[in-house]
Amino acid sequence: SGVRLFKGVQNVPLIDGHSAWIEVENTHQYRYGDHVLFIGNVLNLCTTDSTKPLIFYSGKYRRLSSI
């Protein structure tokens, strides 16, 4: 599919060329109506400055601007 992947700490696929990723071990799940809240321990995380984040807000994709 043209997407480059690599394996994380828990052997899960992560997308190469990311702006950020977080690997989390799920410890608890709580149901609230038709929602589920997941609680977990962060195992690994990474951020980069080389890729701009993808933001979806209020039904549209947006870009961050400098202040």
Side-chain angles (χ1 to χ4, degrees):
S1 65
V3 176
R4 294 185 325 259
L5 301 174
F6 62 98
K7 292 188 180 191
V9 172
Q10 294 290 328
N11 210 29
V12 297
L14 299 170
I15 298 172
D16 194 18
H18 59 274
S19 58
W21 52 256
I22 303 173
E23 288 183 82
V24 178
E25 177 182 37
N26 184 350
T27 58
H28 298 86
Q29 295 178 22
Y30 301 99
R31 293 199 175 274
Y32 294 99
D34 63 347
H35 293 78
V36 179
L37 173 64
F38 293 91
I39 306 295
N41 295 319
V42 174
L43 302 173
N44 201 6
L45 63 94
C46 180
T47 62
T48 65
D49 292 333
S50 63
T51 306
K52 293 183 180 181
L54 177 64
I55 299 171
F56 189 77
Y57 173 73
S58 191
K60 296 179 183 176
Y61 287 101
R62 315 238 179 199
R63 294 178 187 254
L64 291 178
S65 61
S66 299
I67 296 177

